[in-house]
């Protein structure tokens, strides 16, 4: 498949051609205040991919400027996820907090140049004076803001106050350092933005060394510059921060990367925002950040997705300048496609019903060769034991079947995969009238599953020998939300009410073929006819736990047709 040409690559190519940059250096700059989600995966693979493609470098930089929300747990989780995706930052792991001293010195420079001042307005006053867009007919206009009464402090006074801010002389929130730009600028970000705030909270890396912390705008561009980044790729919400990004770098006269924005990823039936995911975790709506229903990279990994499937998804959606919502069916299509090629097939009965072959000798055991992966002969075959009593899927039998049901029913013959054709002769019921056993006879001449006389059966069932089966737990997942766009809530409505209360079903007492004993967390299989499954880390000796990654049925073509 050829790589889609996108506008970002065009810009990079142009910059190399015109000599604006002589090499390519990108970065991924997460704030360690949550786990990463599939949207971040797109950002990571995009920046990493461009570095790779142009023979450049890729940095992982923690944008750790807000100690109130950040933690080492998040740093570690992010590193695990980026590594798993395959974006190798080698030894280029950086922290904005490593630059606090340099950022501070540059702030003093700005003050000396008369381009920054200490402001005593409260956050509320400051935001009020900055102004906000108002509706004028069908247009949004932004009337000029109001200049701060502290705007014309002398350089000496500003330096003195700023140093005392750093020394911890003032309470949290009492003062800020602001760039002195233009309070009438049509772009609100240019109206004397805040560069430093006072926060008396210890930082996970710098401890209590600092009590003033740089804002995103102050830390970000300057960190990019320090690292020699050439192309600083971010999402569209930073587009109107770009003039400020450029202005600050120009004032300082330092290496000036180019910021490029692309539209963030949105996905149906889930939410891709750290804030919302944090709420799902905190309110216990899911079992944690790595719950297999979560769109987090940790959740998706636990669910059984491969990094290759995610890369394929990211490649297929491409990058664009306009925001849209992608279908979750495409993501599922990608993992199905990948697992079809690489998952070993197994037989597992999720909701067991006993099948007894009444004319098969008691105590006899045969072994049949089963193909591990019809897509790839190198996976070989395995031996599957067969005996008189088997487990089949409860839904594969109906006592009184409707016309469209072709599986097992009284009098009907079906194939047991790899084994024999069997015909249902009888059922055993419990006192409440439900079927607890299906009795069949078998045709010994159909060994391997085909009749010598060429007669056909309409169904092939998977099965597990009861005497050899191992028991396990299987977790089936449904959509996390009941509606495609949970955040499109009606006015005053809380999106949380769209959480699907039935997104998890736990099946215990599933009967698995014996070759699944000893399967290790993270191993992936196709359970024939049931979907792709991945061994969960909750697995204990003698108690395997599987997550269903996806079912086998692929609705993607239909979803595309609908669009
Ligand atoms: P917050 O919601 O707290 O602003 P964030 O999701 O933007 O968080 P960051 O840690 O700032 O989190 O994100 C790191 C990078 O990932 C940013 O460059 C951001 O543009 C990018 N990113 C975030 N969300 C998405 C998304 N849905 N699709 C693509 N890229 C994203
Ligand atoms: Mg952000």
């Amino acid at each position: 498949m050829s790589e889609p040409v996108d506008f970002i690559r065009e810009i990079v190519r142009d910059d190399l051609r015109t000599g604006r940059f002589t090499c390519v250096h990108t970065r991924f700059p997460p704030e360690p205040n949550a786990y990463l989600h599939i949207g971040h995966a797109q950002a990571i693979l995009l920046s990493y991919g461009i570095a790779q493609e142009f023979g450049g470098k890729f940095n992982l930089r923690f944008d750790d400027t807000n100690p109130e929300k950040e933690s080492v747990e998040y740093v570690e989780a992010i590193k695990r996820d980026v590594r798993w995706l395959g974006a190798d930052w080698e030894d280029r792991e950086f922290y904005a907090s490593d630059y606090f001293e340099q950022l501070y010195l540059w702030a003093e420079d700005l003050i000396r140049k008369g381009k920054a001042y200490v402001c005593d307005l409260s956050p509320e006053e400051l935001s009020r004076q900055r102004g906000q867009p108002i509706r004028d007919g069908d247009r949004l206009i932004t009337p000029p803001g109001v200049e701060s009464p502290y705007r014309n402090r002398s350089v000496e006074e500003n330096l003195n106050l700023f140093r005392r801010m750093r020394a911890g002389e003032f309470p949290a929130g009492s003062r800020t350092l602001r760039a002195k730009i233009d309070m009438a600028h049509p772009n609100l970000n240019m109206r004397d933005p805040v560069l430093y705030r006072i926060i008396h909270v210890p930082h996970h890396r710098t401890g209590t060394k600092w009590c003033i912390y740089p804002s995103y705008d102050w830390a970000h561009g300057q960190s990019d510059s320090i690292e020699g980044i050439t192309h600083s790729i971010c999402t569209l919400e930073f587009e109107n921060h770009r003039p400020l990004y450029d202005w600050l770098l120009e004032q300082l006269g330092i290496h000036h990367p180019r910021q490029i924005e692309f539209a963030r990823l949105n996905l149906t039936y889930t939410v891709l925002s750290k804030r919302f995911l944090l709420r799902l975790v905190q309110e216990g709506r899911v079992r944690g950040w790595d719950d297999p229903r979560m769109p987090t990279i940790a959740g998706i990994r636990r669910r059984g997705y491969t990094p290759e499937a995610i890369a394929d998804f990211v490649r297929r959606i491409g990058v664009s300048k306009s925001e849209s919502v992608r279908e979750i069916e495409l993501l599922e299509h990608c993992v199905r496609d990948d697992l079809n090629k690489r998952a070993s097939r197994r037989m597992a009965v999720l909701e067991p019903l006993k099948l007894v072959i009444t004319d098969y000798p008691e105590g006899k055991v045969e072994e049949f060769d089963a193909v591990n992966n019809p897509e790839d002969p190198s996976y070989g075959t395995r031996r599957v034991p067969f005996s008189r009593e088997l487990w089949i899927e409860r839904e594969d039998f109906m006592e009184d079947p409707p016309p469209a049901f072709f599986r097992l029913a009284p009098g009907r013959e079906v194939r047991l995969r790899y084994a024999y054709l069997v015909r249902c002769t009888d059922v055993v019921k419990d006192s409440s009238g439900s079927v607890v056993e299906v009795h069949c006879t078998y045709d010994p001449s159909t060994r391997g599953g085909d009749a010598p006389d060429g007669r056909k059966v309409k169904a092939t069932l998977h099965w597990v020998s009861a005497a050899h089966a191992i028991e396990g737990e299987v977790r089936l997942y449904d959509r996390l939300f009941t509606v495609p766009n949970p955040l499109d809530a009606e006015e005053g409505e809380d999106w949380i009410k769209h959480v699907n209360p039935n997104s998890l079903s736990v099946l215990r007492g599933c009967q698995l073929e014996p070759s699944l004993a000893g399967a290790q967390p993270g191993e992936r299989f196709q359970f024939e006819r049931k979907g792709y499954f991945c061994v969960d880390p909750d697995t204990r000796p003698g108690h395997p736990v599987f997550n269903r990654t996806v079912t086998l049925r692929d609705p993607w073509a239909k979803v595309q047709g609908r669009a």
Side-chain angles (χ1 to χ4, degrees):
M1 199 170 83
S2 67
E3 296 290 321
V5 180
D6 61 63
F7 70 94
I8 301 183
R9 287 173 169 85
E10 286 301 319
I11 295 173
V12 174
R13 219 167 273 135
D14 258 19
D15 282 346
L16 292 173
R17 201 166 35 80
T18 61
R20 171 164 176 178
F21 299 112
T22 53
C23 62
V24 173
H25 201 151
T26 61
R27 89 287 171 262
F28 175 65
E31 182 180 355
N33 62 353
Y35 279 56
L36 300 180
H37 55 63
I38 178 89
H40 295 114
Q42 183 193 20
I44 293 163
L45 294 175
L46 185 57
S47 282
Y48 178 68
I50 284 178
Q52 288 289 100
E53 215 175 299
F54 292 91
K57 293 180 181 155
F58 169 77
N59 291 4
L60 175 62
R61 182 199 320 134
F62 290 95
D63 189 28
D64 54 348
T65 53
N66 189 359
E68 289 165 302
K69 293 188 174 159
E70 298 163 4
S71 74
V72 175
E73 180 201 343
Y74 294 135
V75 169
E76 292 306 319
I78 289 170
K79 289 205 276 186
R80 202 154 51 230
D81 292 347
V82 178
R83 199 175 290 125
W84 180 76
L85 283 173
D88 185 2
W89 64 88
E90 298 169 26
D91 57 351
R92 284 185 292 280
E93 176 179 324
F94 300 111
Y95 294 80
S97 55
D98 290 344
Y99 312 140
F100 281 175
E101 188 65 37
Q102 176 65 73
L103 292 171
Y104 175 85
L105 294 174
W106 276 333
E108 285 205 351
D109 279 355
L110 278 191
I111 293 173
R112 274 188 218 98
K113 288 179 175 150
K115 300 289 186 184
Y117 62 97
V118 173
C119 178
D120 303 358
L121 293 178
S122 70
E124 298 73 35
E125 282 169 310
L126 196 151
S127 130
R128 203 169 332 110
Q129 297 203 353
R130 176 174 291 160
Q132 56 182 338
I134 54 169
R135 196 159 280 289
D136 174 30
D138 52 6
R139 285 188 322 140
L140 275 185
I141 55 164
T142 316
V146 178
E147 293 191 352
S148 163
Y150 308 99
R151 198 171 199 261
N152 295 313
R153 278 176 162 154
S154 68
V155 168
E156 290 65 38
E157 191 183 1
N158 279 321
L159 276 178
N160 175 281
L161 287 172
F162 187 49
R163 287 171 185 164
R164 291 168 61 200
M165 276 169 66
R166 174 181 181 165
E169 287 188 30
F170 308 121
S174 61
R175 288 191 162 90
T176 55
L177 183 75
R178 297 177 70 181
K180 191 169 176 177
I181 310 180
D182 178 2
M183 287 306 288
H185 202 287
N187 182 339
L188 289 181
N189 292 308
M190 297 296 275
R191 294 186 178 179
D192 292 10
V194 170
L195 305 183
Y196 275 95
R197 37 229 157 111
I198 303 174
I199 304 174
H200 290 281
V201 171
H203 185 281
H204 59 102
R205 296 188 86 242
T206 58
T208 53
K209 178 160 185 222
W210 293 90
C211 63
I212 54 171
Y213 289 93
S215 63
Y216 167 83
D217 289 307
W218 179 240
H220 195 79
Q222 282 49 252
S223 299
D224 279 350
S225 179
I226 291 171
E227 292 175 14
I229 299 303
T230 56
H231 297 90
S232 178
I233 302 166
C234 60
T235 36
L236 276 181
E237 68 266 29
F238 298 108
E239 192 166 27
N240 56 18
H241 289 248
R242 177 156 32 97
L244 177 55
Y245 182 99
D246 289 336
W247 187 89
L248 290 167
L249 290 166
E250 267 157 39
Q251 299 309 312
L252 297 172
I254 55 179
H255 167 71
H256 194 149
R258 180 202 286 281
Q259 175 178 305
I260 307 171
E261 308 86 14
F262 70 99
R264 58 187 291 118
L265 171 67
N266 299 295
L267 203 56
T268 53
Y269 294 100
T270 193
V271 290
L272 293 188
S273 163
K274 291 171 163 183
R275 193 157 43 97
F276 297 137
L277 296 174
L278 179 63
R279 180 166 171 207
L280 291 172
V281 173
Q282 283 176 338
E283 291 184 8
R285 310 270 172 172
V286 292
R287 294 176 52 188
W289 285 105
D290 68 346
D291 186 303
R293 291 167 291 184
M294 290 281 271
T296 51
I297 296 174
I300 289 174
R301 174 171 59 232
R302 186 166 179 178
R303 176 87 169 244
Y305 275 71
T306 58
E308 290 81 1
I310 294 173
D312 184 30
F313 172 70
V314 164
R315 194 158 49 232
R316 288 182 197 229
I317 61 177
V319 290
S320 110
K321 269 280 188 189
S322 56
E323 225 169 276
S324 63
V325 184
R326 299 304 180 145
E327 315 277 0
I328 200 161
E329 288 87 352
L330 176 59
L331 179 62
E332 294 170 342
H333 172 80
C334 292
V335 73
R336 229 177 242 120
D337 214 41
D338 189 38
L339 293 178
N340 181 43
K341 291 181 223 127
R342 64 160 82 205
S344 282
R345 275 54 170 175
R346 292 290 182 270
M347 292 199 282
V349 174
L350 305 191
E351 293 176 87
L353 173 64
K354 182 69 72 69
L355 182 148
V356 181
I357 305 173
T358 51
D359 53 352
Y360 193 86
E362 291 213 32
K364 175 171 175 177
V365 177
E366 286 181 86
E367 284 195 331
F368 292 104
D369 281 324
V371 174
N372 284 333
N373 187 348
E375 301 286 321
D376 186 345
S378 76
Y379 281 62
T381 59
R382 67 190 185 283
R383 310 283 281 167
V384 185
F386 180 90
S387 61
R388 188 172 190 264
E389 297 199 1
L390 308 171
W391 296 109
I392 62 164
E393 212 66 65
R394 181 164 284 279
E395 63 176 17
D396 282 340
F397 174 81
M398 280 186 96
E399 197 181 7
D400 190 11
F405 185 88
F406 297 114
R407 291 167 271 168
L408 198 58
R412 199 177 282 172
E413 188 174 54
V414 298
R415 173 184 299 108
L416 294 177
R417 180 108 158 121
Y418 300 118
Y420 293 105
L421 302 188
V422 295
R423 186 180 299 281
C424 174
T425 52
D426 204 1
V427 296
V428 179
K429 296 181 181 179
D430 64 11
S431 56
S432 70
S434 53
V435 175
V436 291
E437 253 177 44
V438 177
H439 286 185
C440 291
T441 55
Y442 81 118
D443 178 349
S445 76
T446 60
R447 193 171 196 283
D450 287 311
D453 64 2
R455 73 180 188 274
K456 297 272 178 267
V457 292
K458 287 209 168 126
T460 300
L461 310 188
H462 62 280
W463 51 269
V464 174
S465 165
H468 304 88
I470 58 167
E471 240 180 65
E473 178 180 326
V474 169
R475 299 172 183 168
L476 305 180
Y477 301 100
D478 198 352
R479 306 262 182 256
L480 184 51
F481 289 90
T482 54
V483 295
N485 300 299
L487 297 179
D488 286 357
E490 303 278 311
E491 186 117 21
E493 195 188 63
D494 188 356
W495 58 272
I496 205 91
K497 74 171 217 199
H498 296 302
V499 169
N500 178 3
N502 303 312
S503 55
L504 168 65
S505 355
V506 178
L507 303 178
R508 297 200 173 82
C510 304
Q511 302 291 336
L512 317 171
E513 71 165 73
S515 69
L516 285 165
Q520 294 301 308
E523 271 191 79
R524 306 180 183 94
F525 299 95
Q526 184 196 99
F527 290 172
E528 294 206 19
R529 301 174 64 223
K530 290 280 130 188
Y532 294 100
F533 293 78
C534 180
V535 183
D536 190 83
D538 285 347
T539 290
R540 294 289 168 265
H543 183 75
V545 179
F546 290 86
N547 295 311
R548 179 154 70 189
T549 313
V550 270
T551 57
L552 296 178
R553 197 179 48 85
D554 189 350
W556 172 236
K558 215 158 92 204
V559 169
Q560 265 179 313
R562 209 171 54 207

